[in-house]
Amino acid sequence: MTNRSKITIEDVAKRASVSIATVSRAINNSGEISAGTRARILKIIEEMGFSPNRAAQSLKVRQTKQIALVVPDIRNAIIPDIAWSVEQMAKQYGYRVIQINTSGNPRTELEAVRDIKQLHVDGMIIMPLAYPKTLAALINKCAVPISILNFGKRLVGEIKADIVSLSVLEGKLVMEHLQGIGRTRIAYAGTSTKLIEDRYIAYEESVAHYDESLVYLGDELSTQMGERAADYFYHLERRPDAVYAVNDMVAIGIVNRFKKLGIRVPGDIAVVGIDNNPLTVLTEPQITSVSIMGSEAAGLATQMLLRRILESPEREYEKVRLEPRLIVRESSLAVMRT
């Protein structure tokens, strides 16, 4: 016997061979939908015993049919893929997406959550860089639902949000790979250890003997910062034999600068980044990276958010973990050291 309490709007849409947005319009008697289609959908709803959440229906007059996507830096080439996935999933529910770029500024990120009412949105998806306790406090008293795309951030305490994250620390995969190909003097190029700190923690916990000189912390996650990091490592009295870059934009800057400085990658120094940025296959050499499953995670986070908005605002918050993948390319191939 079918458990009617577990029937969702997706089940109704599948049975009626229409989109989720069309079912929503039929329920709310809004938008472009023919009388015949609406009647057919309502009949299916009755037959299946689907009961749209009363609280969600009571809010329909206040719904804007918009959600916000807060990203750290639109210059990072993984962001368009993430934004595309969010937009495509939102369209299925009849929603539009407003994108907010924080330019890697944690305070701007916190302001977006704090001032969410001014955005006139029904919910928000955020990729956090900001301070965990402050961010959690703002989310927990937020007026609209929030989904979190969590990459490299150590979220602590109870957070009233649906969260999509990774099952393994991205940095752990990087360090295991570099140590596995025999690199012993591994450097780290990142930003403040308070931002995406799990990536730094993975480095710190993986090195046998911590050497402060092998850690370069810049002020942004960009190719320019990568170039500055490369210059720093180049001028060390004892250079590293590998560099773990906090993201691919930094890794790209490092590889390009090393090439100009006459450093062979991976012959002299191996380089690995994180994100699986599409630009990593356009460099010479191509750059090894950890895929954070950005498109998949973004689509899932959007679906979780919109189901909460449209169906069940009071349901238990979900935490979903995806499996990251190490993609080995030329920048960290094992080579004969001479």
Side-chain angles (χ1 to χ4, degrees):
M1 182 178 293
T2 303
N3 186 342
R4 293 191 168 200
S5 66
K6 292 185 177 181
I7 293 173
T8 68
I9 195 170
E10 287 94 338
D11 297 326
V12 175
K14 186 176 181 180
R15 172 85 170 269
S17 299
V18 296
S19 69
I20 293 167
T22 300
V23 175
S24 178
R25 285 194 287 267
I27 292 169
N28 295 319
N29 195 23
S30 63
E32 296 180 1
I33 181 172
S34 70
T37 300
R38 181 172 183 272
R40 182 169 63 85
I41 291 171
L42 293 179
K43 183 179 179 182
I44 290 172
I45 286 172
E46 183 178 356
E47 290 173 352
M48 297 182 72
F50 174 62
S51 179
N53 185 276
R54 293 180 184 274
Q57 281 190 300
S58 69
L59 292 172
K60 67 182 180 181
V61 294
R62 297 204 300 269
Q63 286 180 351
T64 64
K65 294 296 180 182
Q66 296 185 142
I67 58 173
L69 171 63
V70 181
V71 297
D73 193 343
I74 58 174
R75 295 173 298 177
N76 188 330
I78 68 162
I79 298 300
D81 282 344
I82 287 173
W84 173 261
S85 291
V86 170
E87 185 178 67
Q88 295 310 302
M89 182 60 70
K91 280 182 178 179
Q92 293 185 37
Y93 288 80
Y95 267 74
R96 293 177 295 179
V97 180
I98 298 172
Q99 185 169 307
I100 299 168
N101 176 42
T102 68
S103 299
N105 187 328
R107 294 190 180 278
T108 303
E109 178 180 286
L110 294 173
E111 288 169 2
V113 178
R114 187 191 63 207
D115 301 332
I116 197 167
K117 284 186 178 180
Q118 298 176 20
L119 299 175
H120 304 293
V121 295
D122 297 336
M124 174 182 284
I125 300 166
I126 188 168
M127 297 176 63
L129 290 176
Y131 321 108
K133 291 182 180 178
T134 308
L135 180 66
L138 286 173
I139 289 175
N140 289 348
K141 61 182 181 182
C142 190
V144 302
I146 289 182
S147 280
I148 297 174
L149 277 171
N150 184 40
F151 301 123
K153 191 70 190 163
R154 182 150 295 191
L155 301 176
V156 295
E158 181 183 356
I159 300 181
K160 295 179 180 179
D162 296 306
I163 302 172
V164 181
S165 59
L166 299 177
S167 61
V168 180
L169 294 182
E170 308 97 291
K172 188 171 185 292
L173 293 182
V174 173
M175 293 300 292
E176 287 176 349
H177 170 63
L178 289 173
Q179 290 168 340
I181 62 171
R183 305 299 168 125
T184 58
R185 189 166 168 78
I186 302 171
Y188 176 81
T191 184
S192 167
T193 55
K194 292 182 180 180
L195 307 180
I196 51 178
E197 65 267 35
D198 271 354
R199 295 185 184 180
Y200 172 75
I201 290 169
Y203 170 79
E204 191 177 43
E205 291 179 345
S206 298
V207 291
H209 303 288
Y210 183 81
D211 183 345
E212 188 175 347
S213 72
L214 291 176
V215 176
Y216 178 88
L217 300 178
D219 55 1
E220 58 181 357
L221 303 174
S222 66
T223 55
Q224 291 79 12
M225 195 203 95
E227 291 171 358
R228 292 191 291 271
D231 282 333
Y232 170 79
F233 295 133
Y234 177 79
H235 288 103
L236 287 178
E237 185 175 345
R238 286 189 61 211
R239 293 174 187 162
D241 60 9
V243 179
Y244 159 23
V246 69
N247 77 353
D248 287 337
M249 298 301 288
V250 173
I252 290 167
I254 290 172
V255 167
N256 288 341
R257 183 60 179 159
F258 274 164
K259 190 174 181 180
K260 291 180 180 178
L261 292 170
I263 298 292
R264 298 173 302 162
V265 176
D268 299 320
I269 303 177
V271 178
V272 178
I274 293 176
D275 286 343
N276 197 31
N277 188 315
L279 297 180
T280 55
V281 298
L282 300 180
T283 59
E284 187 181 344
Q286 296 183 353
I287 299 173
T288 296
S289 183
V290 174
S291 170
I292 59 173
M293 311 299 288
S295 295
E296 296 88 342
L300 183 55
T302 309
Q303 185 178 52
M304 292 162 68
L305 176 68
L306 291 168
R307 286 183 62 181
R308 183 171 295 281
I309 292 170
L310 295 170
E311 282 187 52
S312 48
E314 305 304 323
R315 67 180 170 84
E316 186 177 346
Y317 292 102
E318 295 183 69
K319 291 181 174 61
V320 178
R321 295 179 180 272
L322 302 180
E323 193 74 26
R325 296 197 305 265
L326 177 73
I327 300 174
V328 179
R329 300 189 178 100
E330 298 164 342
S331 71
S332 68
L333 291 177
V335 295
M336 295 294 294
R337 310 295 298 280
T338 58

